[in-house]
Amino acid sequence: MYLAIREMRFAKGRYALIATIMVLVSFLVLFVTGLAQGLSYDNAASIKNMAATHFVLEQDSNHRFTRSQVGQEELDEARAVVGQGNAEPLGVRMSTVNPADDTKKIDVTLFMVNPGSWLAPTVTEGKAINDQSAGQVVVDQKLAKSGVKIGTVLVDQASGTEWTVSGFVQNESFSHAPVVFLNEQEWLTLQAGSRTMQAASAIGGADTGTGTSTSVEADTATGTGNEKNATSADGTGTSSGAERAPVYNAIAVKGTDDQVSGLSAALPKTEIITKSDAVSAIPGYKEEQGSLLMMIAFLYVISAFVLAVFFYVITIQKTSQFGILKAIGTRNGYLAGSVSLQVLLLSVGSLVISVLLVRLFESVLPASMPFQLEVSTLALTCALFILMSMAGSLFSVWKVTKIDALDAIGRTAA
């Protein structure tokens, strides 16, 4: 230790240069790691926040909520296996809304959950909705940046359904879109509205070809029942919203491994996935995280390579000094430990500065930038950086052990 610290004090400029480069590299590693974690959370916050352990989806839906449809029969069966309170329906739909008094369009994800259940989020501002809340929703706080306030009327572009914002929730997003939570009554109204618009579009196209005109609204008012004969997007016959059985996208389940096995046997025409599987299946999630993780891996390799080159050059420059030390009886282990200690001190010191810089940047970053660096992730990242730095020093350590004292002294004398 004495030799390592004494040499660093003697060659301040040289080691300050190496330390500066390590600070920059370690800062970049920490910042990209925080960005990757932030994007991961922002992409699937609503799913990650759920207390569910598994989800029941339609067979061959590729683990995606938007491709799945399950009904009341599957929900009843799931509750019979895992318990009445451990299975909850979940509806998921990507949509676009705009405030009634504004033309601005906002991409959102609609989540249908039963208010009061363990799927329902905690309202941070305003009031929560209940099973009887007609035309009311709670929305993620991010919508406030688009001018949405409590009492704002949102219009769904796909169905024309209108909702009044009654409250806000925090950190609820899906596929980077803020989530709008509605109850089952509004979910059924939404489905019925979408089918009515599809039927109107289909009838309008037929009327264009035949030269006749038909009003879906008139049929609905007079009870002719034309919309009961409309065909939904999946090709099955539908009835009016009031008569149609509810259709969900998934069933969220809290259960043990044994219960999940029993659920698989009870629902053979479904697929049961874990929460991590559901998160990974979100469109673009794996691609986004894969790119960022590759960047982080390359940064680790680059940091180890840069450190190895710097210390190898320094080791070559000190060949004669190492030879003299060996000639007077200094052991290889002591010299190798000295080099390793220098690398360790530089790594730890640069990480301390980098962590302070990252926390400083985090405090001034705009709220719109998803950045998240938890203590556990920070500790793991620092440990990996130190490990890669020590690995990069092994080449210099190997060079020190191969120095021959007589050759080194001979070159000095010459």
Side-chain angles (χ1 to χ4, degrees):
M1 179 179 290
Y2 173 79
L3 178 62
I5 297 177
R6 183 68 180 270
E7 185 180 6
M8 292 177 69
R9 291 177 59 187
F10 177 77
K12 296 184 182 67
R14 177 187 299 173
Y15 286 97
L17 178 61
I18 299 175
T20 301
I21 294 174
M22 292 185 68
V23 167
L24 294 175
V25 174
S26 58
F27 171 79
L28 190 56
V29 169
L30 291 173
F31 189 81
V32 175
T33 301
L35 185 61
Q37 292 295 313
L39 287 170
S40 172
Y41 184 73
D42 185 70
N43 204 350
S46 292
I47 302 300
K48 291 183 176 182
N49 292 341
M50 290 180 180
T53 59
H54 296 79
F55 295 93
V56 178
L57 274 68
E58 185 181 8
Q59 197 172 34
D60 299 326
S61 60
N62 293 330
H63 297 182
R64 293 193 178 183
F65 294 131
T66 52
R67 296 180 179 177
S68 170
Q69 285 190 341
V70 293
Q72 188 66 40
E73 182 180 350
E74 288 82 4
L75 177 60
D76 293 339
E77 191 66 39
R79 285 175 170 171
V81 175
V82 300
Q84 187 70 20
N86 292 328
E88 289 291 336
L90 174 65
V92 180
R93 175 182 289 191
M94 309 297 292
S95 187
T96 301
V97 300
N98 67 276
D101 57 350
D102 196 350
T103 58
K104 180 187 298 183
K105 296 183 179 181
I106 309 170
D107 292 328
V108 299
T109 303
L110 306 177
F111 267 37
M112 189 286 298
V113 298
N114 285 328
S117 69
W118 46 267
L119 281 184
T122 301
V123 175
T124 57
E125 183 181 351
K127 65 177 183 179
I129 58 175
N130 54 49
D131 293 333
Q132 305 304 319
S133 298
Q136 293 186 348
V137 294
V138 294
V139 302
D140 183 70
Q141 189 68 43
K142 295 185 185 70
L143 286 178
K145 299 172 186 176
S146 300
V148 176
K149 300 178 293 185
I150 294 177
T152 298
V153 177
L154 299 177
V155 181
D156 180 52
Q157 293 288 301
S159 64
T161 307
E162 296 184 355
W163 302 298
T164 301
V165 176
S166 68
F168 286 102
V169 294
Q170 289 280 4
N171 300 322
E172 295 291 345
S173 56
F174 182 88
S175 194
H176 294 303
V179 172
V180 174
F181 290 91
L182 43 92
N183 58 23
E184 185 169 329
Q185 176 183 342
E186 292 303 314
W187 180 254
L188 292 176
T189 303
L190 177 67
Q191 291 179 331
S194 297
R195 293 189 202 99
T196 301
M197 293 188 71
Q198 290 174 0
S201 177
I203 293 173
D207 291 344
T208 302
T210 60
T212 60
S213 61
T214 306
S215 172
V216 175
E217 290 80 359
D219 289 342
T220 304
T222 57
T224 56
N226 280 359
E227 71 172 336
K228 291 186 178 182
N229 297 323
T231 302
S232 66
D234 60 3
T236 59
T238 65
S239 61
S240 64
E243 298 177 0
R244 179 177 170 83
V247 176
Y248 315 111
N249 293 98
I251 300 171
V253 173
K254 288 194 300 184
T256 63
D257 292 338
D258 292 338
Q259 288 176 325
V260 172
S261 299
L263 196 58
S264 299
L267 297 172
K269 294 184 179 181
T270 63
E271 58 183 29
I272 301 175
I273 62 173
T274 62
K275 184 189 293 188
S276 59
D277 291 334
V279 169
S280 298
I282 295 175
Y285 181 88
K286 290 191 294 186
E287 292 78 6
E288 177 184 270
Q289 291 299 304
S291 300
L292 291 170
L293 290 176
M294 184 176 294
M295 290 173 58
I296 295 171
F298 272 112
L299 286 174
Y300 279 123
V301 174
I302 290 171
S303 64
F305 181 77
V306 169
L307 192 65
V309 170
F310 268 99
F311 270 90
Y312 184 70
V313 171
I314 293 175
T315 301
I316 292 177
Q317 292 175 342
K318 298 186 299 182
T319 299
S320 58
Q321 290 91 327
F322 282 128
I324 294 172
L325 288 171
K326 282 191 174 184
I328 62 177
T330 306
R331 292 175 287 109
N332 280 331
Y334 181 82
L335 296 177
S338 176
V339 174
S340 299
L341 180 60
Q342 289 177 347
V343 175
L344 182 61
L345 290 175
L346 288 173
S347 300
V348 173
S350 64
L351 280 172
V352 171
I353 298 174
S354 298
V355 169
L356 294 177
L357 288 175
V358 166
R359 291 307 185 192
L360 177 62
F361 270 75
E362 185 179 3
S363 64
V364 299
L365 285 175
S368 58
M369 178 175 288
F371 185 89
Q372 189 178 65
L373 193 60
E374 298 177 351
V375 175
S376 57
T377 304
L378 179 63
L380 178 60
T381 303
C382 292
L384 288 174
F385 185 82
I386 293 175
L387 182 63
M388 292 299 294
S389 299
M390 297 304 295
S393 71
L394 293 179
F395 198 40
S396 297
V397 171
W398 173 81
K399 181 64 177 178
V400 169
T401 60
K402 294 300 181 181
I403 293 175
D404 184 83
L406 295 178
D407 289 343
I409 295 174
R411 284 195 297 273
T412 304

